[in-house]
Amino acid sequence: MPNLPVVAIIGRPNVGKSTLFNRLVGKKLALVDDRPGVTRDRREGDASLIGLDFRVIDTAGYEDQDAASLPGRMRQQTEAAVAQADVALFLIDARAGIVPLDEEIARWLRGSTTPIVLVANKAEGRAGEAGIIEALALGFGDPVELSAEHGEGLSELFEALLPHVERDADAPIEEEPEDDEFYEHGPLKLAIIGRPNAGKSTLINKILGEDRLITGPEAGITRDSIAIDWSWQGRPVRLIDTAGMRKKALVQDKLEKLSVADALHAIDFAEVVVLLLDATRGLEAQDLRIADAALQEGRALIVAINKWDVAENGSSLFNGIRGALEDGLSQVKGLPVLTVSAATGKGIDTMIQVAFETREAWSRRVGTGELNRWFEKAVDANPPPAPGGKRIKLRYLTQAKTRPPGFVLFGTRVDQLPMSYQRYLINGIRRDLGFGAVPVRLTLRAPKNPFDR
């Protein structure tokens, strides 16, 4: 991946930072809502503006509150984003004009060594003219006038960013590997999911060795799904933190619904999903629902029990959780169940190692010869039933896809093959062919010739 210049977007709450972020990355990655303070953690994405490529950071709305408070912890994340950026876009709301908090942010930025580009958002029409004139008093020169929502003024933003983020023409650009090579050596896409307050953000901070994500005793701090690139023992990892998912009946607030939908969307793009449990609360029905959602999407699943350093009756707790998983997720037997501590870091290396091994199984392809030798033995050991006295003839098995592994079974009258026999084949594939506990899908196909029955 090329080492792209970094652009941070900062400003007070509700000036349109996330809308501009989504515009620059070309996707609706950041949650957007009319109420202020939606963004809490800083989110990063690869952006392109008229051929200018850079890494963009969306930050929380800057608020001047006590550092120990949630807004204070959000402000610390914004300050860290500006410190690492090559240039910062200071957004104001042209229609609202300059308010005292804008002036407070400007005073802070004047003490920063990061170059600042002042941007007057919501500048479409005549409503923003007074705010644009007021912005001159902030001391950053003429503002770039744009409308992030409507895509106006982007060429002016390009010109303002160009001196700060233009790539050296002689700098080498890394090429993307071919697909097979990418899947084998590309970053492990690892999503951490679970109920609120299970310790997902704390765990990722411990993995990274820095306070990259906002944490605290308040439930539901994380709203957006945040992807962070990292390296473990020289191997690339993309960590994805997600919002806590409560029982559906309890989710009434629009913003929480958006957060849960974003978490489910993150599962779609993950390869391996870690369901994080709270050892002080054990396994609940909602954990099984979350796990089932990941399995239904075909993701490889690992269960990690967090706060193990303060767990009581560890052995009985562990065995109870494992047993409940076997009963509640009967479609996958033998899920990896690990113990970790986000507070101390114990068990984290094992979790990452198991995640890489699980991805390898999830991506595994079995040769046709090996597969059908196994298939013949499996059918000989346990022939399919003959419903109504009519024999079901199973011809051959082929692997149609990987990630997740999918197999197609050809034969006559396969539409009458009982689910119990299908589970027998799927469990055998997992057990004997190196797929472990990853979800395996089996599709049944009858011959196209209607006389071949």
Side-chain angles (χ1 to χ4, degrees):
M1 183 180 295
N3 185 22
L4 296 174
V6 176
V7 176
I9 305 174
I10 60 172
R12 61 182 175 83
N14 223 31
V15 294
K17 297 182 297 298
S18 294
T19 303
L20 178 58
F21 174 88
N22 286 342
R23 173 71 62 180
L24 292 174
V25 299
K27 302 174 185 176
K28 291 184 178 180
L29 294 181
L31 298 184
V32 177
D33 193 74
D34 291 336
R35 77 189 79 176
V38 172
T39 301
R40 287 175 170 171
D41 290 294
R42 62 186 195 261
R43 174 192 278 277
E44 301 182 14
D46 289 333
S48 183
L49 180 62
I50 318 178
L52 195 65
D53 296 326
F54 51 92
R55 189 83 173 158
V56 64
I57 306 177
D58 181 25
T59 65
Y62 190 97
E63 297 188 61
D64 188 17
Q65 295 196 30
D66 182 79
S69 66
L70 178 56
R73 300 198 300 274
M74 291 159 59
R75 186 182 70 245
Q76 291 170 356
Q77 290 292 317
T78 299
E79 291 170 348
V82 172
Q84 78 174 76
D86 294 285
V87 60
L89 301 179
F90 176 20
L91 250 65
I92 64 162
D93 183 338
R95 288 181 293 186
I98 301 303
V99 301
L101 186 52
D102 290 320
E103 296 171 344
E104 174 63 28
I105 297 171
R107 282 193 291 272
W108 162 58
L109 289 175
R110 282 195 290 269
S112 169
T113 59
T114 302
I116 307 298
V117 172
L118 181 63
V119 178
N121 190 29
K122 309 180 186 179
E124 66 275 18
R126 299 178 60 86
E129 289 180 357
I132 292 167
I133 295 172
E134 290 178 15
L136 295 172
L138 294 176
F140 297 106
D142 293 335
V144 175
E145 302 173 28
L146 62 76
S147 170
E149 184 175 358
H150 298 103
E152 298 175 7
L154 295 179
S155 59
E156 290 78 7
L157 181 61
F158 167 85
E159 292 175 1
L161 284 176
L162 190 62
H164 305 290
V165 302
E166 189 174 25
R167 183 192 299 278
D168 182 352
D170 296 325
I173 299 176
E174 297 179 23
E175 295 183 357
E176 290 289 342
E178 296 296 326
D179 283 350
D180 290 343
E181 182 185 352
F182 176 77
Y183 285 138
E184 185 177 354
H185 302 291
L188 166 67
K189 298 173 184 174
L190 183 65
I192 312 294
I193 63 173
R195 286 180 282 119
N197 256 18
K200 299 180 291 296
S201 297
T202 304
L203 178 65
I204 290 181
N205 281 346
K206 193 67 177 180
I207 290 172
L208 298 173
E210 62 173 297
D211 291 333
R212 173 61 179 80
L213 300 168
I214 301 171
T215 61
E218 305 93 340
I221 290 178
T222 301
R223 285 174 171 166
D224 290 273
S225 297
I226 305 296
I228 303 167
D229 291 322
W230 175 66
S231 178
W232 179 78
Q233 297 184 3
R235 305 175 73 179
V237 179
R238 176 162 293 173
L239 293 166
I240 308 169
D241 186 26
T242 63
M245 291 184 275
R246 296 195 297 161
K247 188 185 301 183
K248 190 174 182 179
L250 300 176
V251 181
Q252 301 296 329
D253 180 74
K254 173 191 171 186
L255 188 53
E256 186 175 359
K257 289 180 180 179
L258 289 172
S259 297
V260 171
D262 198 40
L264 293 171
H265 188 62
I267 291 173
D268 295 347
F269 286 92
E271 297 171 324
V272 181
V273 172
V274 174
L275 172 62
L276 199 65
L277 307 181
D278 184 336
T280 64
R281 297 173 61 183
L283 181 75
E284 299 182 5
Q286 177 63 2
D287 294 309
L288 293 175
R289 295 188 192 99
I290 296 170
D292 186 64
L295 293 172
Q296 290 297 325
E297 289 300 325
R299 304 308 99 177
L301 182 65
I302 295 171
V303 177
I305 310 172
N306 189 27
K307 308 179 185 178
W308 195 250
D309 52 314
V310 295
E312 298 180 358
N313 303 316
S315 179
S316 60
L317 173 66
F318 185 88
N319 291 331
I321 289 175
R322 182 183 285 282
L325 288 168
E326 291 287 322
D327 294 338
L329 301 173
S330 57
Q331 69 269 42
V332 283
K333 297 291 186 182
L335 279 174
V337 181
L338 312 171
T339 60
V340 299
S341 170
T344 67
K346 187 174 182 181
I348 287 178
D349 278 340
T350 300
M351 184 187 78
I352 303 296
Q353 177 64 45
V354 170
F356 271 104
E357 293 170 356
T358 302
R359 181 179 72 163
E360 185 176 343
W362 188 65
S363 308
R364 176 171 167 73
R365 180 175 291 279
V366 181
T368 302
E370 178 187 0
L371 181 60
N372 280 284
R373 284 191 294 272
W374 171 87
F375 177 62
E376 291 172 4
K377 291 180 181 178
V379 173
D380 287 343
N382 182 16
K390 294 183 178 180
R391 188 164 63 96
I392 297 174
K393 186 175 182 181
L394 303 182
R395 296 184 178 275
Y396 64 94
L397 186 67
T398 185
Q399 184 173 1
K401 65 185 292 289
T402 62
R403 310 167 61 82
F407 296 83
V408 180
L409 174 60
F410 292 86
T412 57
R413 283 184 286 278
V414 289
D415 57 324
Q416 300 178 45
L417 192 66
M419 280 302 303
S420 58
Y421 196 86
Q422 294 179 44
R423 284 195 295 270
Y424 160 71
L425 293 176
I426 289 172
N427 290 336
I429 289 170
R430 286 203 190 98
R431 182 186 61 248
D432 302 333
L433 297 178
F435 290 96
V438 303
V440 169
R441 292 174 173 171
L442 182 66
T443 303
L444 308 180
R445 290 277 175 84
K448 294 182 179 180
N449 185 349
F451 298 102
D452 189 8
R453 296 222 174 236

